[in-house]
Amino acid sequence: MRRDIFQAIADPTRRAIITLITLQAMTPNAIADNFHTSRQSVSKHLRILVECELVKQEQQGREIYYSLKVEKMKEIDKWMAQFRKLWETRFNQLDNVLSTIKKQKK
Amino acid sequence: MRRDIFQAIADPTRRAIITLITLQAMTPNAIADNFHTSRQSVSKHLRILVECELVKQEQQGREIYYSLKVEKMKEIDKWMAQFRKLWETRFNQLDNVLSTIKKQKK
DNA sequence: TATAAGCGCAACCGTTTGGTTTCGCAAATT
DNA sequence: AATTTGCGAAACCAAACGGTTGCGCTTATA
């Protein structure tokens, strides 16, 4: 069982759910209404998201509200940082660098 | 066939490959040497990465050098932006906001 | 020219995935 | 008290995934 954040955001439905519950907590039924899928399917996706701690649930009577744990998204951002560095500085003329390296090898 | 960037970076081996070839182009064999996996397996991962245009290949005699297309990584960063906004401003006291919304609903 | 090396591709196989259907439980409604 | 509603969990299924093995092609080396 993989169950990490990168695997969690790999599914487009899951990404849509994440975006949907970013600003306000929602119930599985309410979420499912936004897509062409069943409540059970959404429920399964939510379970995965909860398991890797990207989403938290809060019982409210017989309803369960799901919302995003924004801080957890930082872990993806953290991995992205190494690449952002590359296009934010002038080192993004990567092709030149690579050519140089290859020539040295020969 | 899913074949989008998010699905591409879902696999840990693929993420490692990406990091590995960020700074210098490498051949499948050279990449495989860095992991406990075969050349063919790496080759399959590379094909997926090439298909979603995250990686480019360059023939050099009988060897093929693979390197990252850094700009493509921006697409992930672009999606992340909506969340980065949340923890960069003081709106990251999201819990309070959510509670308010829920109370209004009742 | 024969052999070895580097590679992509297709076939195959066990496992995982995403979805549906069915069930049971607890909270609301009648 | 009986029924409806919102939900999670389990069983099931077709499709996709990640890996291996074997093949054939091309380029380098003997």
Side-chain angles (χ1 to χ4, degrees), chain B residues 2-100:
Chain B
R2 300 239 231 73
R3 217 95 320 171
D4 73 359
I5 351 171
F6 291 96
Q7 202 268 334
I9 63 159
D11 185 88
T13 305
R14 232 130 54 201
R15 282 202 301 282
I17 290 175
I18 289 173
T19 302
L20 204 59
I21 63 174
T22 300
L23 295 177
Q24 71 177 95
M26 292 177 78
T27 65
N29 267 325
I31 295 168
D33 284 345
N34 287 273
F35 309 112
H36 303 292
T37 188
S38 66
R39 173 190 66 82
Q40 281 86 348
S41 169
V42 168
S43 221
K44 260 192 157 186
H45 284 304
L46 285 171
R47 193 154 78 97
I48 291 171
L49 294 172
V50 167
E51 268 174 26
C52 55
E53 297 175 296
L54 252 169
V55 158
K56 65 171 177 290
Q57 41 189 337
E58 223 177 320
Q59 191 104 22
Q60 195 101 26
R62 69 178 165 182
E63 295 181 331
I64 300 176
Y65 282 85
Y66 290 85
S67 59
L68 186 67
K69 291 173 73 174
V70 200
E71 340 79 55
K72 192 69 176 179
M73 296 296 284
K74 281 189 189 173
E75 285 187 28
I76 297 164
D77 202 61
K78 214 165 125 190
W79 187 72
M80 285 303 296
Q82 60 182 312
F83 307 106
R84 206 175 314 129
K85 215 166 49 187
L86 288 172
W87 69 68
E88 276 179 357
T89 70
R90 55 181 117 71
F91 282 110
N92 50 8
Q93 295 107 333
L94 193 61
D95 286 2
N96 305 339
V97 180
L98 291 175
S99 305
T100 312

